[in-house]
Amino acid sequence: MVNLSVQLAPKNLQGLLLTNPVMTSAGTFGYGTEYSHTFDIQKLGAMVCKGTTLKPREGNPQPRLAETASGMLNSIGLQNIGVNALIKEKTPIWASWRLPVIVNIAGESVDDYAQMASQLDGVAGISGLEVNISCPNVAAGGAEFGANPDSAAEVTTKVRKATSLPVLVKLTPNTTDIAKVAVAVTEAGADAISLINTLKGMAIDLNKRKPLLGNITGGLSGPAIKPVALYMVYEVAGAVDIPVIGGGGITTASDALEFIMAGASAIQVGSASFTNPRAPLDVLEGIEQFMQKEGINNLTELIGSARR
Ligand SMILES: Cc1cc2nc3c(=O)[nH]c(=O)nc-3n(C[C@H](O)[C@H](O)[C@H](O)COP(=O)(O)O)c2cc1C
């Protein structure tokens, strides 16, 4: 038996102990219930639920998805049921699971994030918060909160004050120096960092001679972004002393192992679930097989091994 367990919030009183490093990423696995008929999702390390906002959102105009070479563009626009319905309808189900559930939160203002963090604090069925700072900051003319260290730190500080739950801050790749943002959110009290969110992109419909997505731009995900994500995980893991959760284009166990060797303590499987709903479990089983084959007893031996 190999030991796959990992502690993602060592500095937090509640901690965030996962039995294995495989997580699902926000917006690609619904609320978990949608996938429970495809495999035993309780075997995973943790689930991150759909991005949640203060008020329910209908999302962006259609079309909202486009296939690209080795990836996809999406402009869902955070369609979700809102934090009140999440607490009422989803958390009682999660409270009966052994799978830790992390709620991904998104806001238009710093106060949005803080209010959600305080509402979700102490609710049974929630093991942590993942703060999506890839959202436009309305007060700052729509620049992403995560694009600069100061606004990223401001959101983190407010969320940290509002909750005792482990706080994971999810970084955007749409910035010039991601390591600087990582250091700023670490100093502001993040327990762990996850990365990367989607890269901004677009596509044109030749027949209409217009942008293909209703929102004009969207987020690129899938295998196309893996080398970028891996590089950013490597950079960030070298810059901070808190756990890093890596993701972006992970489709197989080999992809996941690359992120772990680059310094990720855990990994997230996202778009891969759309083509193979069992992808997170396949990744987990593949990591286990690799460790058995290589005679590695503890996952910690692999974390950051490419850096040493
Ligand atoms: C359809 C779709 C919806 C997403 N929704 C969210 C979201 O609500 N919050 C968030 O932080 N990330 C969201 N993401 C980003 C993913 O969680 C992930 O960070 C990104 O897709 C890169 O990983 P991947 O290449 O494995 O998909 C979404 C991605 C997709 C494809």
Side-chain angles (χ1 to χ4, degrees):
M1 281 293 281
V2 293
N3 183 356
L4 286 159
S5 67
V6 59
Q7 173 57 258
L8 291 185
K11 294 181 183 167
N12 185 279
L13 271 182
Q14 301 181 27
L16 183 57
L17 185 64
L18 272 51
T19 56
N20 67 71
V22 179
M23 304 168 65
T24 58
S25 48
T28 64
F29 210 71
Y31 297 101
T33 43
E34 299 89 333
Y35 279 80
S36 44
H37 63 284
T38 53
F39 66 92
D40 182 5
I41 65 169
Q42 306 299 323
K43 287 185 175 165
L44 299 177
M47 183 194 91
V48 181
C49 81
K50 206 183 244 278
T52 300
T53 50
L54 211 46
K55 300 261 161 59
R57 279 173 65 107
E58 290 190 356
N60 287 329
Q62 300 281 358
R64 309 199 291 196
L65 291 177
E67 208 168 318
T68 69
S70 294
M72 60 181 278
L73 282 164
N74 92 81
S75 63
I76 305 296
L78 292 172
Q79 180 182 3
N80 79 99
I81 59 178
V83 71
N84 291 332
L86 178 113
I87 292 171
K88 197 161 158 243
E89 295 163 22
K90 306 297 176 187
T91 58
I93 303 171
W94 298 336
S96 68
W97 292 359
R98 72 166 189 273
L99 174 71
V101 176
I102 292 157
V103 176
N104 179 287
I105 57 172
E108 291 180 353
S109 69
V110 175
D111 289 339
D112 278 7
Y113 287 99
Q115 190 177 328
M116 273 186 285
S118 113
Q119 271 185 264
L120 294 164
D121 190 40
V123 175
I126 302 176
S127 297
L129 301 182
E130 183 180 65
V131 186
N132 174 8
I133 53 172
S134 297
C135 311
N137 178 354
V138 171
E144 288 182 29
F145 286 100
N148 86 70
D150 293 341
S151 52
E154 194 189 349
V155 175
T156 308
T157 302
K158 281 270 175 79
V159 170
R160 174 73 290 157
K161 279 196 187 130
T163 184
S164 53
L165 282 166
V167 173
L168 283 48
V169 178
K170 183 170 179 180
L171 304 185
T172 172
N174 303 314
T175 178
T176 43
D177 190 343
I178 198 161
K180 269 199 190 135
V181 181
V183 169
V185 302
T186 303
E187 285 169 356
D191 291 298
I193 288 174
S194 56
L195 72 157
I196 60 172
N197 213 314
T198 54
L199 285 144
K200 206 171 247 187
M202 73 179 292
I204 306 279
D205 182 327
L206 292 190
N207 293 322
K208 294 185 182 149
R209 300 179 205 170
K210 289 270 183 302
L212 195 150
L213 296 170
N215 187 53
I216 302 174
T217 63
L220 180 66
S221 63
I225 71 168
K226 196 191 95 181
V228 178
L230 195 58
Y231 159 69
M232 289 184 163
V233 166
Y234 190 88
E235 280 282 297
V236 167
V240 299
D241 59 357
I242 58 175
V244 172
I245 303 156
I250 295 178
T251 311
T252 63
S254 307
D255 295 333
L257 285 161
E258 282 191 65
F259 279 85
I260 291 167
M261 291 178 190
S265 298
I267 56 92
Q268 294 187 349
V269 178
S271 304
S273 294
F274 296 146
T275 42
N276 171 21
R278 267 183 57 101
L281 188 60
D282 290 348
V283 167
L284 171 58
E285 289 173 356
I287 293 174
E288 217 167 346
Q289 281 158 16
F290 176 85
M291 288 174 66
Q292 279 160 354
K293 183 167 71 69
E294 297 289 317
I296 297 159
N297 298 320
N298 201 315
L299 183 78
T300 52
E301 294 170 46
L302 282 179
I303 298 170
S305 62
R307 323 184 54 83
R308 296 193 278 268

